[in-house]
Amino acid sequence: MEVLAGDGSDRRFYRCRRADATSLLLVLPGSADARGLAEAAAAAAIGRHLGRSGVPVPQIYGFDPASGALLLEDLGDLLLHRRLQERPAGGEIAACYRRAIEALLILQIKARAGFPVDACWDTRHYDRSLMLERESGYFYQALGRDWLGWGELPAELAAEFELLAELAAEQPADFVLHRDYQCRNLMLQGDRVRIIDYQGARLGPLAYDLAALLNDPYAALAPDLRAALFDFYLARATELLPDLDRENFRRGWYFLALQRNLQIMGAFAFLTRQRGKKFFRSYLRPAATQLVSLLNEMPEGHRFPRLRKLAATLPEKINLVQKGHDHE
């Protein structure tokens, strides 16, 4: 058995090599408490449903509810993120992302029939309260207060977080949502893209996972590629959903992209400071720069003047804090 490193998860991963040179992946909960077992049960139930629906997730070979042990198909080690770091040709990158979008649409649309909502362990729906607590609130607490030493949340900024959540919540939210659909949760196996880390799936809006994929600080996709992939997604989604309101989708995508950006900055700060996972630290400043760009690139960004002012200072503040930590 070979111990494998996880990302932000506290779950434990083992590659189990067999005598015939094949291998399986064993996943154990980070803890055997009710929360850890609930997450493991969600991974089993949701993974089986996604597999039956044609979503390219790892095959599940067995699950033990008492221990939370999950035995999966071993997909190897080639994350999309790792492939991007090898600097492949632009055409290959675009092709990989088009396959990732095709896989995402299967998950979002084809897998929503019979999706096991009762198996969701960390809320059943992506909604306004989750946005305020786990995204904008998480951003302010984990990055602002715990990392940068901010005080209490100002009333004006709280009002803007409320407005952002209200606007984002206007999108239809009865599709399957992965909620962390980015290049470190996508694996390459030949010419296929395989999806991992889906145990937090729930029902939510279409545009959120697309925002996570295209505005991924790990990948730092070029603006022209992001625009082309957005159009590709929208064309394919319209084929599957002829009644999709394209303009409403574009508008909602923007607000959901802001929500996602706030969430991931909170997560990077938390994982670095509270969990001691220094890998995430180097992506905080790119995520902050991306937030500035999002707030400045569309007219809707002017609806959040306090957030825009705050965001403009973040790249340099994060840089100064990181330099201080480097000298400790």
Side-chain angles (χ1 to χ4, degrees):
M1 293 179 67
E2 174 189 356
V3 179
L4 303 178
D7 262 7
S9 175
D10 62 354
R11 295 180 299 160
R12 293 167 289 158
F13 300 87
Y14 304 88
R15 174 168 286 136
C16 306
R17 301 189 183 278
R18 302 193 292 189
D20 62 0
T22 62
S23 61
L24 301 173
L25 187 69
L26 176 65
V27 185
L28 299 178
S31 63
D33 59 12
R35 184 173 176 83
L37 293 177
E39 182 181 13
I46 293 172
R48 284 170 174 153
H49 171 76
L50 296 179
R52 288 192 298 266
S53 301
V55 182
V57 294
Q59 184 176 347
I60 295 176
Y61 296 119
F63 173 62
D64 174 39
S67 66
L70 187 64
L71 197 62
L72 302 170
E73 175 187 5
D74 184 2
L75 300 181
D77 298 306
L78 185 54
L79 293 171
L80 176 55
H81 183 217
R82 178 179 153 198
R83 186 72 187 99
L84 294 174
Q85 291 177 315
E86 295 169 355
R87 300 184 181 279
E92 181 182 340
I93 294 174
C96 285
Y97 272 86
R98 286 193 294 269
R99 289 195 289 270
I101 285 172
E102 296 281 7
L104 173 59
L105 287 163
I106 296 171
L107 180 146
Q108 293 179 313
I109 297 170
K110 294 186 177 180
R112 67 173 171 166
F115 180 75
V117 176
D118 290 344
C120 295
W121 72 284
D122 184 29
T123 78
R124 298 180 176 188
H125 300 89
Y126 176 85
D127 56 20
R128 184 173 172 278
S129 62
L130 185 148
M131 297 179 212
L132 291 170
E133 178 185 349
R134 309 279 191 88
E135 296 192 331
S136 56
Y138 189 29
F139 160 82
Y140 196 84
Q141 180 64 44
L143 176 66
R145 301 196 69 181
D146 296 344
W147 182 285
L148 299 176
W150 296 345
E152 293 292 331
L153 177 63
E156 298 90 342
L157 186 58
E160 290 186 9
F161 287 160
E162 292 272 1
L163 174 61
L164 175 59
E166 179 183 335
L167 292 167
E170 292 177 355
Q171 293 294 299
D174 58 345
F175 300 94
V176 179
L177 172 72
H178 183 287
R179 196 159 175 260
D180 197 18
Y181 200 77
Q182 40 84 3
C183 68
R184 292 190 64 79
N185 284 332
L186 297 170
M187 301 197 72
L188 302 181
Q189 196 178 51
D191 62 353
R192 298 183 69 196
V193 169
R194 307 293 297 275
I195 301 171
I196 61 173
D197 206 24
Y198 51 76
Q199 72 281 352
R202 68 203 76 194
L203 295 180
L206 280 175
Y208 187 96
D209 281 337
L210 181 64
L213 181 68
L214 300 187
N215 294 326
D216 177 3
Y218 299 128
L221 298 178
D224 57 342
L225 177 57
R226 290 204 310 269
L229 292 170
F230 182 95
D231 290 342
F232 176 79
Y233 175 95
L234 198 50
R236 291 290 293 115
T238 305
E239 292 174 10
L240 297 170
L241 299 168
D243 295 331
L244 181 67
D245 185 332
R246 295 166 68 101
E247 289 310 310
N248 185 55
F249 178 89
R250 287 180 184 276
R251 181 173 179 272
W253 179 89
Y254 176 72
F255 300 122
L256 288 162
L258 286 175
Q259 286 287 165
R260 169 63 181 182
N261 212 136
L262 295 173
Q263 186 276 332
I264 202 167
M265 291 183 69
F268 287 166
F270 173 80
L271 290 167
T272 301
R273 186 174 178 85
Q274 306 298 332
R275 295 278 180 86
K277 298 191 174 188
K278 304 302 183 185
F279 166 82
F280 297 97
R281 192 175 74 168
S282 61
Y283 294 100
L284 256 174
R285 192 165 186 239
T289 302
Q290 180 174 272
L291 179 61
V292 175
S293 297
L294 277 171
L295 288 164
N296 290 331
E297 72 184 19
M298 291 183 68
E300 288 89 342
H302 292 276
R303 302 183 72 168
F304 311 101
R306 184 65 185 260
L307 181 57
R308 289 181 74 218
K309 183 178 179 180
L310 179 70
T313 69
L314 285 176
E316 185 57 29
K317 285 184 177 179
I318 289 170
N319 189 47
L320 289 173
V321 170
Q322 289 179 339
K323 285 182 176 179
H325 289 171
D326 289 341
H327 287 92
E328 287 178 358

